[in-house]
Amino acid sequence: MFPLRGCGRRIAASFTKRQFPLVRFSGDSAAPCTAHFDVVVIGGGHAGTEAAAAAARCGSRTLLLTHRVDTIGQMSCNPSFGGIGKGHLMREVDALDGLCSRICDQSGVHYKVLNRRKGPAVWGLRAQIDRKLYKQNMQKELLNTPLLTVQEGAVEDLILTEPEPEHTGKCRVRGVVLVDGSKVYADSVVLTTGTFLRGMIVIGLEMHPAGRLGDQPSIGLAQTLEKLGFVVGRLKTGTPPRIAKESINFSILNKQIPDNPPIPFSFINETVWIKPEDQLPCYLTHTNPKVDEIVLENLHLNSHVKETTRGPRYCPSIESKVLRFPNRVHQVWLEPEGIDSDLIYPQGLSVTLPAELQEKMITCIRGLEKAKMIQPGYGVQYDYLDPRQITPSLETHLVQRLFFAGQINGTTGYEEAAAQGVIAGINASLRVRRKPPFVVSRTEGYIGVLIDDLTTLGTNEPYRMFTSRAEFRLSLRPDNADSRLTFRGYNEAGCVSQQRYERASWMKSSIQECISMLKSIEFSSSKWKKLIPEASISMDKSVPVRALDVLKYDEVDMELLAKAVPGPLKKYTECRELAERLKIEAIYESVLFHQQQEIKNIQRDEALQLPKDLDYLTLKGVSLSSEVREKLHFSRPQTIGAASRIPGVTPAAIINLLRFVRTAQQRPATATKLPKTGQCLCDTEKLEEQQL
């Protein structure tokens, strides 16, 4: 702990999880006088909390700096987590021992698995969350995390020094400067500024500086990043008004019932905190031509819509929907904000009209004729940095040991922020210990897809995750995120607890053991028909049928199969999660075999590493167009696979680049100038046969 000359409260997390956090104020003489941490994380949003907790789990002394401790874990927009694609990210964050999934299991009021009509690979776990409970539980978790200190304070500038010669970058970050001039030194810094970089709130024609309603923006830090040479862009987002629950006529609206039993987000939880019967419903209503009329007649009073700044494509404002899809009816979901909350969140009604027009528009909607608006909707415009300026570890190209995570990279959504946060926190800690970065490839997880899309393609609109973005979604399912990432997190990063590692190990061995058993049990189709008459098993098959193939039928699950063959299979039905995962493994057995071959081809390209210090603009002896050189120089891909995904980089350019690097490595004189890569490049002839 260190004196901050009246900069606010300090909260030091205990070093034993059972103790409550110790709260000290700036005049407390018991506070230690050090001002150096291994990792400093700036921002207490969803990216910042995950980054700080991950760095601390990895063994780094970590400081989380936030404007206000009481806003840690605040859900600034929608009161929900998960969804299609987003639920996958949450499962992967949880597999790395992240926080948000466990906190959601302690705070949800309505749990629902979306996309059930399709296969389990694209199911989307989702939950309505009690805002107050989530914030309380997140703060309790963070303030009891060993090695983590939470400090109130606003960062104004970065402390920079000479770069490390063995790494690329123009300089190295050594800490941060707070608004009162106090300095905090650190070996790694993670920026998770959300919408606070030169943030501006908009309601109608009124605009005022703020990163969030009631919070000041970060101006000095934005100017520092711009001066360092980072390419800065501008994005916008928005939030709907809040409505008084008692003023809504729910009786005439469509009611959505939550799942019974609710499915937890976290692998280590078998149940959620709330009883199934105590969950709250959601309600569905729709817009109508009157809403369109109010929007169209008052566009001149809405500066947010007239801005050329790009907003979210997949969560647009009602004004954008009316303009882009005229004469259509749009869904409005009425979502509870908590068990004891009197507020309703109208999902799909994000709006930035003047407050009086928002109220008028709301009362035009069915069920909301007498609705009372408690808080108007508003828009937020903010700076983001082109994510092609960061590596797959989320460290910046320009400044060594500086990491970006969350909306600063152009994403939108709590889940995308949390996913980046956990990766940035892990790598900030690994960088301090001079260990190799922890990188998730797009063949290993949706986190890898997210980061690869950002670092190779960039974005000019708020990026949102969907299952359609993943090429290998049959392999990257919500149910198997632990088998894909938990073991890597435990062995390579040290971010996974022993408890989680042991549970994942038990689950993996149980699945393998049962799959082998199911493959070994074979009966004729007629015998299976007698044992399980509910199954539509074809009687035409002359060869024996495996139990694993019987499990693929829609009507058959592990419980039914175990009743037919109780001896060897009954024990595998005692754990609900295990039984469900075995069913899913059976469904995808045949298609996964072919997909694994495709994954191996991609992984071979990813193993072909490029030297980090190649100057593509001045590189001689290789035929690359000026356009290709500029794109490679800006994105600085680390592998041939990543380079091949950059728009405008042709297959011919990839082949020429590979030939050059291979030739350079074979020359002793040149090889000393090029960093050693993790794996030798394949023969050019073999690569030319591949379809890049």
Side-chain angles (χ1 to χ4, degrees), residues 368-437:
L368 306 181
E369 293 86 355
K370 298 181 179 179
K372 181 182 178 183
M373 186 177 75
I374 304 300
Q375 176 188 301
Y378 62 89
V380 184
Q381 299 171 13
Y382 58 95
D383 284 355
Y384 82 106
L385 305 183
D386 192 316
R388 290 173 293 178
Q389 299 169 104
I390 55 176
T391 69
S393 71
L394 301 185
E395 184 176 6
T396 67
H397 292 303
L398 283 175
V399 182
Q400 297 170 0
R401 297 176 178 250
L402 178 64
F403 296 79
F404 294 160
Q407 285 182 283
I408 192 173
N409 289 332
T411 60
T412 180
Y414 306 149
E415 305 82 0
E416 290 84 351
Q420 295 171 73
V422 74
I423 296 299
I426 289 171
N427 282 308
S429 177
L430 292 175
R431 191 76 163 82
V432 172
R433 292 180 280 158
R434 299 185 180 275
K435 290 189 175 183

Side-chain angles (χ1 to χ4, degrees), residues 548-559:
L548 185 64
D549 295 319
V550 175
L551 187 57
K552 295 176 183 179
Y553 286 93
D554 292 340
E555 309 88 349
V556 182
D557 57 20
M558 277 301 297
E559 190 173 343

Side-chain angles (χ1 to χ4, degrees), residues 325-354:
F325 309 106
N327 304 316
R328 285 207 200 165
V329 170
H330 303 285
Q331 291 185 338
V332 178
W333 285 99
L334 302 178
E335 302 173 345
E337 296 218 344
I339 291 287
D340 302 321
S341 176
D342 297 325
L343 297 179
I344 291 294
Y345 179 92
Q347 177 77 262
L349 208 60
S350 175
V351 61
T352 55
L353 286 168

Side-chain angles (χ1 to χ4, degrees), residues 214-235:
D215 291 308
Q216 290 300 308
S218 179
I219 306 297
L221 193 55
Q223 293 171 344
T224 294
L225 295 171
E226 208 164 30
K227 288 175 184 175
L228 281 169
F230 285 102
V231 176
V232 180
R234 194 83 171 154
L235 293 176

